[in-house]
Amino acid sequence: MFAIPIAFFLSAIITWPILAEMELFERFYAYSRAHEDWDLDELVLLIGNLTIALIFSILFQWRRLKKLTAEREMQRQRAEKNARHDPLTGLMNRRAFTSALEKISDPASRPKDRVIAMVDLDRFKPVNDLYGHAAGDATLQTVAQRLSDEVGSDGILARLGGDEFAIIYEGTIDTNQAERISRRILHRMEEAVEFEECRIFISSSIGLVKWNTATPCAEAVRRADKALYTAKKEGRGQFAWYDAELDRQSHARAEIESDLREAILNCDIEPWFQPIIQIESNTLTGFEVLARWNHKSHGQIPPSTFITIAEDSGQIGNLGLSILRQACLAASHWDPKLTISFNVSPYQFHDPQLVDQIKEIVSECDFDARRLTIEVTESSVINDFEVARAKLDALKNIGVAVALDDFGTGYSSLASLRQLPFDRIKIDRSFVTNIAAEPQNQKIVSGIMALASGLELDVTAEGIESSDDLSYLQSLDCSLGQGFLFEKAVPAKQISWLLESKWIDRHVDPLDRGIEPPKDLRDAG
């Protein structure tokens, strides 16, 4: 009689993990209907067997659920670790590093001075190119281990991505300690990395910043990045501290670069004109075109600043063409005997379209190309004389004269003169200003004048600022001159005043003739 309940009990234990509870009780109901003639003791025994089966089933399910919960917790912890740690090096990643910064700078905690270091590897890209990505990964792992050894428990170390690492020094650490650790890191990074049969050599640069935790985290990281940029700019393989003044200058430069494109489009950068004088007759022959930019917030920006930015940002070509177009348009209304000289940047000179662009501008402005002189520096032509010769010949074919600017400052001036078809040379102002008191400069200028005479070239002397400078150049029969002694550069709208006042009779002051200068020229002195 008991064989049937026991069999049912065993069947329930075996099948319980598979069967749903409803299905099991349906089986029990069908079984009980088939045995309606059971006695009370048999029913009690059956219920007892079912209770035991239920307990075993609950225990089984509990153990199974506990195992699943443990596996899910491990997966969660693994996912959290992967989300906060770099899988290659095991260090914190950028997300975890940012969280650590935010925790340290919690407003509830007292602000403290800490040091943040940004570490970036030098010459890392060639490692992947020469040895493969496996070698690159091994190098990064070695770097991470070396950084961990040097930083130890004194700081928080993270890999931000690529070959860039970051350190937050915990506790109180002064600048001397931070610099000592940085020197050790720089030294360790120069040690060879062993990979298979290769020895890989790299170096690193470090940017350091003192961080008061009251300062926003993003600003602290930005300052550390600026310090790192400074270290790389100064030669790599060294550390540099954040410099607020350099940062201010960098910010101003970034603002200028951002405004430069719009300024070019709107012709906010204008041509100014400095007179070029025939020294022997003291007459005006033309002007050199100089760029001037009156920025809306920075005021007058030196050409050396915005021209360098234009070259670095690839906008020098558009800037040069804009200035030349404005200059030709203004000069087209002047006396046809007056010429203009325009300096072309080395970057612009290498543009294959330069000659066509100049030809198009003089045509648009109805400006006689024979009144234009293009000035180039030796750095524009030194790399390939044949290409330079072809371009200079093309300019001369459309009627444009060419001059070698800043003569005497290069290292191959004679080769340039011998091989290239220049019409004129310009003596750099560094040799001319105060020449009467500089015997060495006198010898250099005398030699240049003798060379130019032998090659039948005109000479323009820049930087004439005193009557002594002028007298010495007159004694050498220098043909042309320009400088503050004659006039500073002026905007196009003041050329008429100059022509009417200063170049009608230079021996009579224009105010004595009743000719008053424009207000902006009076304000400029």
Side-chain angles (χ1 to χ4, degrees), residues 148-166:
S148 298
D149 294 342
E150 296 301 331
V151 175
S153 60
D154 294 331
I156 299 172
L157 178 61
R159 180 190 176 203
L160 302 186
D163 59 348
E164 186 176 14
F165 299 81

PDB file of all heavy atoms in Angstrom, residues 148-166:
ATOM      1  N   SER A 148      53.331  52.890 -11.112  1.00  0.00           N
ATOM      2  CA  SER A 148      52.815  52.383  -9.840  1.00  0.00           C
ATOM      3  C   SER A 148      53.936  52.248  -8.815  1.00  0.00           C
ATOM      4  O   SER A 148      53.757  52.570  -7.626  1.00  0.00           O
ATOM      5  CB  SER A 148      52.133  51.026 -10.053  1.00  0.00           C
ATOM      6  OG  SER A 148      51.027  51.140 -10.924  1.00  0.00           O
ATOM      7  N   ASP A 149      55.101  51.780  -9.262  1.00  0.00           N
ATOM      8  CA  ASP A 149      56.240  51.639  -8.350  1.00  0.00           C
ATOM      9  C   ASP A 149      56.669  52.990  -7.786  1.00  0.00           C
ATOM     10  O   ASP A 149      57.005  53.102  -6.596  1.00  0.00           O
ATOM     11  CB  ASP A 149      57.416  50.985  -9.078  1.00  0.00           C
ATOM     12  CG  ASP A 149      57.128  49.543  -9.473  1.00  0.00           C
ATOM     13  OD1 ASP A 149      56.185  48.957  -8.901  1.00  0.00           O
ATOM     14  OD2 ASP A 149      57.830  49.015 -10.359  1.00  0.00           O
ATOM     15  N   GLU A 150      56.684  54.018  -8.646  1.00  0.00           N
ATOM     16  CA  GLU A 150      57.172  55.328  -8.207  1.00  0.00           C
ATOM     17  C   GLU A 150      56.140  56.077  -7.373  1.00  0.00           C
ATOM     18  O   GLU A 150      56.484  56.753  -6.411  1.00  0.00           O
ATOM     19  CB  GLU A 150      57.565  56.175  -9.425  1.00  0.00           C
ATOM     20  CG  GLU A 150      58.728  55.624 -10.229  1.00  0.00           C
ATOM     21  CD  GLU A 150      59.992  55.468  -9.406  1.00  0.00           C
ATOM     22  OE1 GLU A 150      60.176  56.240  -8.438  1.00  0.00           O
ATOM     23  OE2 GLU A 150      60.799  54.571  -9.715  1.00  0.00           O
ATOM     24  N   VAL A 151      54.879  55.959  -7.744  1.00  0.00           N
ATOM     25  CA  VAL A 151      53.832  56.688  -7.025  1.00  0.00           C
ATOM     26  C   VAL A 151      53.476  55.968  -5.727  1.00  0.00           C
ATOM     27  O   VAL A 151      53.298  56.594  -4.679  1.00  0.00           O
ATOM     28  CB  VAL A 151      52.581  56.848  -7.913  1.00  0.00           C
ATOM     29  CG1 VAL A 151      51.443  57.492  -7.122  1.00  0.00           C
ATOM     30  CG2 VAL A 151      52.907  57.679  -9.143  1.00  0.00           C
ATOM     31  N   GLY A 152      53.399  54.638  -5.792  1.00  0.00           N
ATOM     32  CA  GLY A 152      53.084  53.848  -4.609  1.00  0.00           C
ATOM     33  C   GLY A 152      51.740  54.218  -4.016  1.00  0.00           C
ATOM     34  O   GLY A 152      50.761  54.475  -4.732  1.00  0.00           O
ATOM     35  N   SER A 153      51.699  54.267  -2.706  1.00  0.00           N
ATOM     36  CA  SER A 153      50.450  54.578  -2.001  1.00  0.00           C
ATOM     37  C   SER A 153      50.271  56.071  -1.784  1.00  0.00           C
ATOM     38  O   SER A 153      49.316  56.485  -1.115  1.00  0.00           O
ATOM     39  CB  SER A 153      50.428  53.849  -0.655  1.00  0.00           C
ATOM     40  OG  SER A 153      51.534  54.261   0.141  1.00  0.00           O
ATOM     41  N   ASP A 154      51.188  56.868  -2.336  1.00  0.00           N
ATOM     42  CA  ASP A 154      51.124  58.310  -2.122  1.00  0.00           C
ATOM     43  C   ASP A 154      50.164  59.015  -3.074  1.00  0.00           C
ATOM     44  O   ASP A 154      49.958  60.222  -2.957  1.00  0.00           O
ATOM     45  CB  ASP A 154      52.513  58.942  -2.291  1.00  0.00           C
ATOM     46  CG  ASP A 154      53.476  58.483  -1.211  1.00  0.00           C
ATOM     47  OD1 ASP A 154      52.996  58.171  -0.115  1.00  0.00           O
ATOM     48  OD2 ASP A 154      54.692  58.436  -1.489  1.00  0.00           O
ATOM     49  N   GLY A 155      49.626  58.284  -4.047  1.00  0.00           N
ATOM     50  CA  GLY A 155      48.774  58.954  -5.015  1.00  0.00           C
ATOM     51  C   GLY A 155      47.810  58.017  -5.705  1.00  0.00           C
ATOM     52  O   GLY A 155      47.863  56.797  -5.562  1.00  0.00           O
ATOM     53  N   ILE A 156      46.904  58.613  -6.456  1.00  0.00           N
ATOM     54  CA  ILE A 156      45.932  57.890  -7.270  1.00  0.00           C
ATOM     55  C   ILE A 156      46.432  57.922  -8.701  1.00  0.00           C
ATOM     56  O   ILE A 156      46.719  58.994  -9.250  1.00  0.00           O
ATOM     57  CB  ILE A 156      44.551  58.555  -7.170  1.00  0.00           C
ATOM     58  CG1 ILE A 156      44.061  58.519  -5.729  1.00  0.00           C
ATOM     59  CG2 ILE A 156      43.558  57.879  -8.094  1.00  0.00           C
ATOM     60  CD1 ILE A 156      42.788  59.326  -5.508  1.00  0.00           C
ATOM     61  N   LEU A 157      46.546  56.765  -9.328  1.00  0.00           N
ATOM     62  CA  LEU A 157      47.121  56.642 -10.667  1.00  0.00           C
ATOM     63  C   LEU A 157      46.050  56.162 -11.633  1.00  0.00           C
ATOM     64  O   LEU A 157      45.285  55.242 -11.320  1.00  0.00           O
ATOM     65  CB  LEU A 157      48.297  55.669 -10.641  1.00  0.00           C
ATOM     66  CG  LEU A 157      49.001  55.370 -11.968  1.00  0.00           C
ATOM     67  CD1 LEU A 157      49.591  56.649 -12.568  1.00  0.00           C
ATOM     68  CD2 LEU A 157      50.090  54.325 -11.752  1.00  0.00           C
ATOM     69  N   ALA A 158      45.989  56.770 -12.819  1.00  0.00           N
ATOM     70  CA  ALA A 158      44.985  56.395 -13.824  1.00  0.00           C
ATOM     71  C   ALA A 158      45.582  56.482 -15.213  1.00  0.00           C
ATOM     72  O   ALA A 158      46.520  57.251 -15.459  1.00  0.00           O
ATOM     73  CB  ALA A 158      43.763  57.306 -13.730  1.00  0.00           C
ATOM     74  N   ARG A 159      45.041  55.662 -16.092  1.00  0.00           N
ATOM     75  CA  ARG A 159      45.351  55.787 -17.515  1.00  0.00           C
ATOM     76  C   ARG A 159      44.150  56.423 -18.182  1.00  0.00           C
ATOM     77  O   ARG A 159      43.058  55.855 -18.201  1.00  0.00           O
ATOM     78  CB  ARG A 159      45.621  54.419 -18.142  1.00  0.00           C
ATOM     79  CG  ARG A 159      45.957  54.511 -19.628  1.00  0.00           C
ATOM     80  CD  ARG A 159      45.983  53.149 -20.303  1.00  0.00           C
ATOM     81  NE  ARG A 159      46.215  53.257 -21.742  1.00  0.00           N
ATOM     82  CZ  ARG A 159      45.861  52.341 -22.639  1.00  0.00           C
ATOM     83  NH1 ARG A 159      45.252  51.225 -22.236  1.00  0.00           N
ATOM     84  NH2 ARG A 159      46.109  52.524 -23.914  1.00  0.00           N
ATOM     85  N   LEU A 160      44.348  57.622 -18.726  1.00  0.00           N
ATOM     86  CA  LEU A 160      43.244  58.374 -19.293  1.00  0.00           C
ATOM     87  C   LEU A 160      42.907  57.931 -20.705  1.00  0.00           C
ATOM     88  O   LEU A 160      41.825  58.213 -21.206  1.00  0.00           O
ATOM     89  CB  LEU A 160      43.570  59.867 -19.285  1.00  0.00           C
ATOM     90  CG  LEU A 160      43.890  60.470 -17.906  1.00  0.00           C
ATOM     91  CD1 LEU A 160      44.054  61.972 -18.031  1.00  0.00           C
ATOM     92  CD2 LEU A 160      42.823  60.123 -16.897  1.00  0.00           C
ATOM     93  N   GLY A 161      43.822  57.226 -21.345  1.00  0.00           N
ATOM     94  CA  GLY A 161      43.597  56.787 -22.716  1.00  0.00           C
ATOM     95  C   GLY A 161      44.869  56.921 -23.527  1.00  0.00           C
ATOM     96  O   GLY A 161      45.696  57.784 -23.261  1.00  0.00           O
ATOM     97  N   GLY A 162      45.040  56.057 -24.525  1.00  0.00           N
ATOM     98  CA  GLY A 162      46.233  56.121 -25.349  1.00  0.00           C
ATOM     99  C   GLY A 162      47.477  55.971 -24.499  1.00  0.00           C
ATOM    100  O   GLY A 162      47.625  55.015 -23.743  1.00  0.00           O
ATOM    101  N   ASP A 163      48.381  56.928 -24.623  1.00  0.00           N
ATOM    102  CA  ASP A 163      49.628  56.892 -23.852  1.00  0.00           C
ATOM    103  C   ASP A 163      49.672  58.012 -22.814  1.00  0.00           C
ATOM    104  O   ASP A 163      50.737  58.499 -22.455  1.00  0.00           O
ATOM    105  CB  ASP A 163      50.831  56.985 -24.789  1.00  0.00           C
ATOM    106  CG  ASP A 163      50.819  58.260 -25.627  1.00  0.00           C
ATOM    107  OD1 ASP A 163      49.774  58.944 -25.637  1.00  0.00           O
ATOM    108  OD2 ASP A 163      51.827  58.565 -26.270  1.00  0.00           O
ATOM    109  N   GLU A 164      48.498  58.404 -22.320  1.00  0.00           N
ATOM    110  CA  GLU A 164      48.415  59.488 -21.339  1.00  0.00           C
ATOM    111  C   GLU A 164      47.966  58.935 -19.987  1.00  0.00           C
ATOM    112  O   GLU A 164      46.979  58.201 -19.894  1.00  0.00           O
ATOM    113  CB  GLU A 164      47.444  60.569 -21.805  1.00  0.00           C
ATOM    114  CG  GLU A 164      47.427  61.797 -20.905  1.00  0.00           C
ATOM    115  CD  GLU A 164      46.531  62.899 -21.429  1.00  0.00           C
ATOM    116  OE1 GLU A 164      45.717  62.628 -22.333  1.00  0.00           O
ATOM    117  OE2 GLU A 164      46.644  64.033 -20.934  1.00  0.00           O
ATOM    118  N   PHE A 165      48.692  59.310 -18.947  1.00  0.00           N
ATOM    119  CA  PHE A 165      48.403  58.867 -17.588  1.00  0.00           C
ATOM    120  C   PHE A 165      48.247  60.093 -16.693  1.00  0.00           C
ATOM    121  O   PHE A 165      48.718  61.183 -17.026  1.00  0.00           O
ATOM    122  CB  PHE A 165      49.532  57.976 -17.052  1.00  0.00           C
ATOM    123  CG  PHE A 165      49.745  56.719 -17.857  1.00  0.00           C
ATOM    124  CD1 PHE A 165      50.482  56.738 -19.039  1.00  0.00           C
ATOM    125  CD2 PHE A 165      49.208  55.515 -17.430  1.00  0.00           C
ATOM    126  CE1 PHE A 165      50.680  55.585 -19.782  1.00  0.00           C
ATOM    127  CE2 PHE A 165      49.400  54.351 -18.158  1.00  0.00           C
ATOM    128  CZ  PHE A 165      50.138  54.386 -19.340  1.00  0.00           C
ATOM    129  N   ALA A 166      47.578  59.899 -15.549  1.00  0.00           N
ATOM    130  CA  ALA A 166      47.353  61.002 -14.613  1.00  0.00           C
ATOM    131  C   ALA A 166      47.595  60.525 -13.194  1.00  0.00           C
ATOM    132  O   ALA A 166      47.347  59.360 -12.856  1.00  0.00           O
ATOM    133  CB  ALA A 166      45.939  61.554 -14.759  1.00  0.00           C
TER     134      ALA A 166
END
